[in-house]
Amino acid sequence: MKIDSITLHHLCMPLVAPFETSFGREVDRECVLIEIKSEGITGYGECVATRDPGYNYETTGTAIHILKDFIIPIMLGRDVKDAMDFQTLVSGIRGHYLAKAGVEMALWDLLGKRENKSLRDLLGGVREKIEVGVSVGIQESAQSLLRTVAGYVSQGYARVKIKIKPGRDVEDASAVRSEFPNLRLQVDANSAYSLDDIKILKPLDMLNLLLIEQPLFEDDIWDHHKLQEQFETPICLDESIVSPRHARYAIEMDACRVINIKAGRLGGLSQAVMVHDLCRKVSMPVWCGGMLETGIGRASNVALASLPNFVLPGDISASDRYYVRDITNECFVLNSDSTMDVPRGAGLGVTIDEKALKDYSLNKINT
Ligand code: OSB
Ligand code: MG
């Protein structure tokens, strides 16, 4: 595929409700949409970097810099065969996986549109619908958390994740567990604790949680092994797994029993599939994480989650859980059995609402 042009759309979209985690509070979501034109076809990808470096060191600012000054110059005018070819081309650029993954997504979209194949089929997905869940941010109080969770449960979400942080952990999780004894429930600490906090975290082990996500440092693997040794509940790694190699380290160290796969964090869908395959070999369940994506990134997540070893419900919710108005014409809806349909159209299988794209645009960079 000869790369004719790449346009970056720096967007800012209001969220339906603020999203609070242990690292901060977002009221709107900034992201970078990548539009690649090749031989008369247009492909889209979403870079999931956020405005602040709270989840990851990358931001929309660093992503635009790395894309504009390093990745795009390598690609323009070049014939890029596929995702692996792209990874080889950018292998001289250290890190910046969120930026790379956004471009790789657009290449998959182009590839699918060119061959008239859905992303699901290109990646080797096997499901027509996937199990989903909702990630609930930290609320004002345990009482308001219960109301929020009840709202999602009544909408049909059968799996709920709640965000925790020191001071808002065991009490919040216990409140949700006693109100919803049979709910598939899990917690995500986004690296808010250290090994010294084992005593604080230990009561979580009695709440029949599906998993405890990323309790310790964002770059740690070994301390998670020490923590896992003392917990019955599976520890799940998110932030720490930035490459297939890190997934292998975690497996070999028994640092976790589950991995949250995000194509953005890993540098692209090709790397996400590699982590999926690695985990499948050792029977370690995986699930698809989310970054409050637009319809573009959501389409990519849904396709990825259709691979066979995605055996736990993903942090993939209906479009209306995030945005009143999305940038795709299609919206993702929740089925009554807490699943979501996998798009069947070519590439990502979604189309851009040009008017919405324009309305949300902070800046547009043409190359
Ligand atoms: O840690 O999984 C996380 C959102 C932004 C950054 C990090 C995380 C999240 C979520 C939201 O949990 C998942 C979603 O997109 O619904
Ligand atoms: Mg997480």
Side-chain angles (χ1 to χ4, degrees):
M1 296 178 289
K2 183 164 172 291
I3 307 301
D4 297 320
S5 74
I6 303 181
T7 304
L8 303 179
H9 302 268
H10 185 183
L11 307 177
C12 182
M13 298 167 63
L15 290 165
V16 293
F19 188 71
E20 187 173 330
T21 60
S22 63
F23 58 79
R25 183 180 158 95
E26 287 175 85
V27 295
D28 42 34
R29 174 153 186 282
E30 271 192 34
C31 71
V32 181
L33 201 75
I34 297 151
E35 178 185 339
I36 306 185
K37 286 199 179 349
S38 164
E39 299 163 30
I41 307 174
T42 305
Y44 290 95
E46 177 171 348
C47 168
V48 297
T50 43
R51 180 174 44 222
D52 304 324
Y55 168 76
N56 188 282
Y57 66 85
E58 289 184 73
T59 65
T60 44
T62 70
I64 289 169
H65 163 54
I66 293 294
L67 288 163
K68 188 163 76 67
D69 297 332
F70 298 100
I71 297 178
I72 293 174
I74 292 174
M75 297 183 73
L76 283 181
R78 204 178 277 264
D79 186 25
V80 182
K81 276 184 250 347
D82 53 23
M84 290 318 289
D85 192 23
F86 166 71
Q87 291 293 339
T88 307
L89 281 173
V90 298
S91 61
I93 301 168
R94 294 267 183 260
H96 298 283
Y97 296 136
L98 275 54
K100 289 174 184 168
V103 173
E104 214 205 85
M105 193 191 298
L107 292 174
W108 283 104
D109 190 29
L110 278 172
L111 213 64
K113 285 170 172 164
R114 202 181 138 117
E115 298 180 7
N116 197 25
K117 281 191 183 146
S118 66
L119 178 60
R120 182 195 81 152
D121 291 350
L122 289 177
L123 296 177
V126 294
R127 284 183 249 274
E128 285 180 4
K129 47 187 204 165
I130 53 148
E131 283 192 280
V132 301
V134 63
S135 173
V136 181
I138 295 164
Q139 307 291 304
E140 237 154 72
S141 63
Q143 274 311 308
S144 57
L145 173 64
L146 287 179
R147 276 198 300 276
T148 305
V149 170
Y152 287 126
V153 168
S154 70
Q155 284 175 38
Y157 289 102
R159 193 229 67 178
V160 170
K161 164 169 126 180
I162 64 166
K163 294 286 188 178
I164 57 168
K165 66 175 182 182
R168 294 298 302 279
D169 38 43
V170 172
E171 204 187 315
D172 276 16
S174 305
V176 177
R177 175 48 84 219
S178 42
E179 189 89 356
F180 304 95
N182 300 315
L183 182 64
R184 300 182 81 186
L185 181 66
Q186 59 194 60
V187 296
D188 186 0
N190 287 110
S191 310
Y193 300 88
S194 76
L195 272 185
D196 298 336
D197 299 320
I198 285 189
K199 268 211 184 80
I200 300 173
L201 295 171
K202 193 64 191 163
L204 293 175
D205 218 11
M206 307 299 289
L207 296 178
N208 187 26
L209 302 176
L210 285 173
L211 54 91
I212 299 170
E213 184 177 348
Q214 196 72 36
L216 310 179
F217 294 103
E218 82 287 351
D219 61 352
D220 170 80
I221 296 181
W222 183 244
D223 278 0
H224 280 98
H225 156 80
K226 293 189 189 166
L227 193 73
Q228 179 68 84
E229 272 187 327
Q230 302 191 43
F231 277 72
E232 293 290 326
T233 309
I235 301 295
C236 168
L237 290 178
D238 173 356
E239 282 89 330
S240 298
I241 307 300
V242 294
S243 71
R245 201 164 36 79
H246 287 74
R248 179 172 63 77
Y249 297 157
I251 292 166
E252 289 179 1
M253 284 187 221
D254 191 19
C256 62
R257 304 267 155 88
V258 175
I259 289 179
N260 164 339
I261 293 186
K262 290 180 184 170
R265 192 193 67 221
L266 291 160
L269 286 160
S270 62
Q271 310 302 298
V273 172
M274 286 162 72
V275 173
H276 163 273
D277 294 349
L278 203 66
C279 292
R280 192 180 187 200
K281 257 197 215 138
V282 297
S283 303
M284 180 181 283
V286 303
W287 55 284
C288 184
M291 292 289 286
L292 312 177
E293 284 87 350
T294 72
I296 294 292
R298 191 165 322 288
S300 171
N301 285 345
V302 171
L304 179 63
S306 74
L307 269 71
N309 194 38
F310 282 84
V311 292
L312 289 168
D315 269 353
I316 305 174
S317 313
S319 308
D320 66 4
R321 178 257 176 274
Y322 307 94
Y323 306 106
V324 171
R325 180 182 175 216
D326 206 334
I327 56 160
T328 49
N329 293 308
E330 301 76 12
C331 51
F332 288 88
V333 294
L334 185 69
N335 297 325
S336 58
D337 57 352
S338 194
T339 65
M340 209 172 268
D341 296 340
V342 181
R344 303 171 142 265
L348 291 170
V350 291
T351 56
I352 290 285
D353 176 344
E354 298 286 348
K355 174 82 170 47
L357 188 67
K358 216 170 167 178
D359 289 349
Y360 290 135
S361 179
L362 293 177
N363 193 14
K364 181 173 163 179
I365 301 161
N366 291 303
T367 61

